[in-house]
Amino acid sequence: MTKLVTDVVCPFCGTLCDDLEVVLSDDGKKIVDVNNACAIGAMKFLHSQAEDRLTRPRMRQEDGSWKEASYDEAIEYTAQMLAKAKKPLMYGWSSTNCEAQGVGSEVGELVGAQMDNTATVCHGSTLIAVQDVGVPGCTLGEVKNRADVVVFWGCNPAHAHPRHMSRYSIFPRGFFTAKGHRGRTVVVVDPRPTDTASIANLHLQVEQGRDYELLSALRVAIRGNPLPDVVAGIPKETIIEVAEKMKNARFGVIFFGMGVTHSLSKNHNIDIAIQVTRDLNEYTKFAIMPMRGHYNVTGSGQVWGWQFGYPFCVDLSRGIARYNPGESSSNDLLVRGEVDAVFVLGSDPGAHFPFNSVKKMNDLPCVVVDPHITPSTVVADLHVPVAFVGVEVGGCAYRMDNVPIETHKVVDAPDGMLTDEEFLEGVLKRVKELKGV
Amino acid sequence: MNTVVLTISKQPELYLETENITPDVFAGKSAEEIAALNVYEGNLTHTLGEYFTVAGGAGDTAADTRIEVKGDLTRVKWIGAKMTTGEVVIEGDSDMYTGAFMEGGKLLAKGNVGHFAGLGMKGGDLHVTGNAGNYLGAAYRGDWRGMMSGVLRVDGNAGSDIGTFMRGGEIIVGGDVDVHVGTHQEGGKIVVKGNGKSKIGGQMVKGDIYIFGSIDVMMPGFAYRENVDLEVDGVKATFEHYIGDLGERHGKSKGETIYGHLYKKL
């Protein structure tokens, strides 16, 4: 008979759903089905069962072909590369657990690395804004139980965080939100008519790149000051209507995503959105939350926050932690030629970085630690497949609202495979030997 | 005034961090002692002499020391950073953080400078004859106190985010600028003699911004007041006067609300 594992945590997006059920084969070794998950989350579990999955590291040969290597050889190569580099980039750290991030930080400190996570092309601009002006936040539980006005600004959870709306933000009935979605006013601000916008009470089709102006106009409207007739393609009557809706909320929340963090104005969009939230707290309770992408990108910010004092773009080259996105951010480092080796774990920069950066990864010594074959492994000199975190090994992850959730192991990894943490422990031990510490 | 001439003799494989190239550090040192100072490339520490030839000698005090840096400095960061007095002349283009956190003295960059030039500047005179990058005279990340005092003059163009969180001093850009001028400005004066783009004076509390050329999109929180005749950096002209940012908090002085001022040349 098949076995049902309940309360499984989904290691896909920052929503970190913790109500999944996984159906195992009779012997408990294979995942047969996944209940409650979204299509993407279910595939993450089922992917790990692929018959043609890589189970051993592979090293690039002179002629460009791959040759299988042992984990010991992989550890030796990685340790040598990092120890020899003047300024290695250690990037990724988002699709792994906090335990692995902790060991990776120790390696980074020893080799004077540039530590950067996927926030650098995601919510890094949010982190900059939070540092500039602070952040009035809340947990997703509060949103579920209290929020009656929900704003999605430059994000599309219907596709990027598929269960966010049903678990927390629009549909669920909570303690003070017994009417579910009928009791909530949903506002979507997006230049495109998205699937999320289609279920909104109000969709503001802002002009591309004019979010900063529109947010500024909201602040002007909240203060009751005069506005121009049209701002960012939105008539002033609509802006005033939205400002009034927000002011009259019992509990409101702004969720935002890549549409504002990586369009014109970047961190300034978030900065001013935070100030809108702060202004609204003169009238009611309002909070703001980034829609974090990778399931534990928030955790890597937390780990580095307590280790180094900065959540991303940490420059350890001079023996102290320094930080300045624009200089110590991965793409600036790669494109400007500031680094001489690249280590990737828990992310796929090959798919997400600009072509110029990926070309540099191809030219430099490059190690990629990833269970999958990805565009990043295509430019790597060494590819180390590892166990799936959240499927084959547990560990701590932080949800997008900074709540830590312990993920669970569901099945064993294929025989002899290492986890991220075990591989990094091996690298750390060898780097210590090479550096004589 | 004694002059030290540094000429770059070897290019770094990556980039050099040379925050030691200031009159304050050079003061009272001979050419040999200066050549023995540290420069940094990634996690390695080298001596200045490995990358530069050093001629001349420093004065007894920083105020009495002039440094000339020559050659291709496009991979050299932090020249003149934190200097408090004396003079630095850069003959050519330099990279990031030129004159960052500068507190006094004169820094003349005869060429282009990279991003973060004059970052968190507290005083002195920084003059760039070429173009500057982004974050000219802006605050360091997370600091609500940007440029406090001094004069930062760029003859060419500048990038985005100039004068963020500026609280005092003057920034004059001869050419065009990119988006975000004087964001969160709480004092001081920014003059742009070329064109601005958009997001000018967003979240501005106090201070003055003068734009001689065009503004693509005006921030919604700026209200037109009147036309005024002014003399700005030697140019007499009529300007449209706007106050703002009306979405931002504003203090009061003698019963009057204090706004930021944006002047657009007619």
Side-chain angles (χ1 to χ4, degrees):
Chain A
M1 225 184 90
T2 54
K3 286 181 195 146
L4 189 68
V5 188
T6 57
D7 299 324
V8 174
V9 180
C10 175
F12 178 68
C13 80
T15 313
L16 221 58
C17 298
D18 51 6
D19 61 343
L20 269 55
E21 293 175 352
V22 177
V23 184
L24 297 183
S25 59
D26 298 356
D27 57 2
K29 286 184 177 166
K30 279 273 165 205
I31 294 173
V32 180
D33 204 0
V34 184
N35 301 334
N36 298 348
C38 69
I40 320 172
M43 278 318 287
K44 175 125 192 194
F45 283 90
L46 297 172
H47 257 167
S48 67
Q49 306 301 301
E51 293 294 329
D52 57 352
R53 178 178 163 188
L54 282 181
T55 55
R56 288 293 176 272
R58 50 190 191 140
M59 201 94 76
R60 182 84 68 189
Q61 301 300 293
E62 287 282 313
D63 65 354
S65 65
W66 292 106
K67 185 185 165 211
E68 190 178 301
S70 69
Y71 276 107
D72 286 340
E73 286 171 304
I75 286 168
E76 181 65 24
Y77 182 91
T78 308
Q80 291 281 0
M81 177 189 88
L82 291 172
K84 272 184 204 150
K86 292 180 191 172
K87 203 171 179 177
L89 170 64
M90 295 180 76
Y91 173 79
W93 309 106
S94 296
S95 285
T96 190
N97 53 23
C98 293
E99 290 80 351
Q101 289 160 358
V103 182
S105 307
E106 277 188 70
V107 177
E109 214 173 324
L110 275 177
V111 300
Q114 307 289 303
M115 306 291 288
D116 201 5
N117 57 36
T118 54
T120 206
V121 287
C122 190
H123 274 286
S125 40
T126 306
L127 301 168
I128 295 171
V130 168
Q131 200 185 4
D132 278 339
V133 292
V135 65
C138 68
T139 63
L140 287 169
E142 280 185 277
V143 174
K144 177 190 170 188
N145 288 306
R146 295 176 192 276
D148 62 338
V149 171
V150 181
V151 181
F152 292 104
W153 201 303
C155 59
N156 184 14
H159 290 273
H161 300 82
R163 297 187 70 216
H164 190 278
M165 298 183 299
S166 60
R167 275 173 66 80
Y168 304 111
S169 48
I170 300 182
F171 299 109
R173 290 156 199 263
F175 200 80
F176 300 109
T177 50
K179 287 186 187 164
H181 73 281
R182 282 177 293 129
R184 287 192 175 92
T185 305
V186 177
V187 181
V188 170
V189 187
D190 202 309
R192 298 171 304 171
T194 60
D195 284 341
T196 307
S198 70
I199 52 169
N201 300 79
L202 203 57
H203 174 205
L204 306 189
Q205 221 165 337
V206 60
E207 267 175 45
Q208 172 72 45
R210 296 279 164 238
D211 301 89
Y212 186 76
E213 281 82 355
L214 186 55
L215 285 155
S216 178
L218 270 177
R219 295 191 76 199
V220 176
I222 290 165
R223 279 166 206 267
N225 283 327
L227 274 174
D229 291 338
V230 178
V231 178
I234 312 293
K236 79 171 171 194
E237 293 74 25
T238 313
I239 296 168
I240 293 166
E241 185 195 338
V242 172
E244 285 307 311
K245 271 192 203 315
M246 290 169 115
K247 275 162 89 169
N248 292 312
R250 278 185 298 137
F251 181 103
V253 61
I254 301 172
F255 291 105
F256 63 95
M258 296 299 91
V260 270
T261 63
H262 278 275
S263 61
L264 190 61
S265 284
K266 297 191 169 192
N267 56 310
H268 300 287
N269 287 331
I270 316 313
D271 177 321
I272 201 164
I274 289 169
Q275 300 225 290
V276 167
T277 313
R278 185 170 289 160
D279 292 344
L280 287 164
N281 277 291
E282 300 266 325
Y283 303 91
T284 180
K285 174 71 187 164
F286 233 90
I288 184 166
M289 195 185 296
M291 299 286 268
R292 305 302 300 265
H294 289 68
Y295 74 92
N296 197 24
V297 59
T298 314
S300 74
Q302 290 282 353
V303 170
W304 292 351
W306 76 62
Q307 300 265 1
F308 305 126
Y310 305 110
F312 77 125
C313 294
V314 186
D315 173 358
L316 301 171
S317 61
R318 298 269 296 265
I320 49 159
R322 296 186 298 171
Y323 161 85
N324 194 9
E327 183 199 20
S328 57
S329 30
S330 302
N331 282 299
D332 296 284
L333 292 166
L334 284 166
V335 172
R336 279 164 49 85
E338 290 220 33
V339 287
D340 55 353
V342 184
F343 174 87
V344 178
L345 185 147
S347 168
D348 184 12
H352 304 132
F353 277 10
F355 189 67
N356 283 349
S357 299
V358 184
K359 249 167 107 175
K360 285 279 168 61
M361 286 171 59
N362 188 46
D363 297 343
L364 295 171
C366 178
V367 173
V368 175
V369 182
D370 198 309
H372 302 95
I373 294 171
T374 66
S376 300
T377 61
V378 173
V379 294
D381 299 301
L382 169 66
H383 175 201
V384 186
V386 280
F388 280 78
V389 178
V391 180
E392 294 159 348
V393 60
C396 181
Y398 278 73
R399 201 165 64 183
M400 62 166 72
D401 55 354
N402 288 303
V403 171
I405 293 177
E406 195 69 19
T407 65
H408 310 303
K409 174 180 169 173
V410 182
V411 288
D412 286 327
D415 279 344
M417 276 195 88
L418 297 187
T419 64
D420 288 325
E421 193 186 354
E422 287 163 349
F423 177 72
L424 286 164
E425 287 282 9
V427 173
L428 177 64
K429 188 165 163 262
R430 187 68 187 116
V431 166
K432 277 184 178 165
E433 285 167 13
L434 291 169
K435 292 274 176 187
V437 288
Chain B
M1 192 169 248
N2 290 4
T3 301
V4 182
V5 181
L6 302 177
T7 311
I8 194 160
S9 52
K10 184 174 104 178
Q11 285 293 326
E13 193 192 325
L14 305 174
Y15 283 73
L16 277 188
E17 298 187 316
T18 63
E19 66 269 30
N20 280 336
I21 303 184
T22 67
D24 303 76
V25 178
F26 281 17
K29 290 191 171 70
S30 66
E32 292 74 42
E33 286 168 322
I34 290 168
L37 288 169
N38 287 343
V39 296
Y40 307 89
E41 184 192 22
N43 53 23
L44 300 179
T45 305
H46 303 285
T47 62
L48 205 141
E50 286 176 58
Y51 289 92
F52 292 88
T53 56
V54 185
D60 289 338
T61 63
D64 205 24
T65 302
R66 176 186 151 97
I67 305 170
E68 286 178 21
V69 198
K70 295 180 174 176
D72 179 4
L73 305 161
T74 47
R75 296 178 90 80
V76 182
K77 300 178 187 177
W78 295 103
I79 298 176
K82 297 182 186 169
M83 65 185 277
T84 64
T85 180
E87 255 183 78
V88 175
V89 179
I90 305 170
E91 307 266 359
D93 301 344
S94 58
D95 195 45
M96 289 178 176
Y97 304 109
T98 302
F101 306 107
M102 165 171 183
E103 291 182 22
K106 276 188 179 173
L107 199 164
L108 172 63
K110 293 184 182 168
N112 303 328
V113 294
H115 306 311
F116 309 109
L119 191 77
M121 188 166 165
K122 281 190 180 159
D125 187 349
L126 171 54
H127 184 181
V128 179
T129 62
N131 301 325
N134 303 335
Y135 294 95
L136 177 75
Y140 174 64
R141 303 281 180 203
D143 200 337
W144 64 96
R145 300 149 302 192
M147 181 169 171
M148 304 294 270
S149 179
V151 179
L152 212 170
R153 186 180 289 273
V154 175
D155 295 344
N157 303 325
S160 66
D161 293 276
I162 73 171
T164 308
F165 284 104
M166 182 174 185
R167 294 175 82 89
E170 228 177 303
I171 299 177
I172 304 125
V173 179
D176 303 337
V177 293
D178 207 334
V179 292
H180 284 289
V181 175
T183 306
H184 284 291
Q185 191 176 345
E186 288 209 37
K189 175 171 150 187
I190 301 177
V191 180
V192 177
K193 295 198 164 172
N195 297 325
K197 282 189 172 168
S198 58
K199 338 270 182 185
I200 295 171
Q203 297 161 283
M204 185 178 186
V205 179
K206 262 196 309 198
D208 305 297
I209 300 176
Y210 302 84
I211 308 284
F212 284 34
S214 60
I215 296 177
D216 292 356
V217 180
M218 195 76 174
M219 285 300 293
F222 279 82
Y224 171 75
R225 277 290 168 92
E226 72 222 315
N227 284 3
V228 287
D229 294 321
L230 297 169
E231 188 180 336
V232 181
D233 200 48
V235 179
K236 280 186 183 167
T238 309
F239 289 80
E240 286 176 338
H241 174 209
Y242 295 83
I243 57 158
D245 177 339
L246 298 181
E248 186 56 65
R249 72 190 154 82
H250 293 283
K252 280 192 174 178
S253 170
K254 294 172 189 147
E256 291 271 311
T257 308
I258 307 297
Y259 293 103
H261 300 277
L262 172 59
Y263 300 91
K264 158 106 179 50
K265 187 165 162 269
L266 281 172

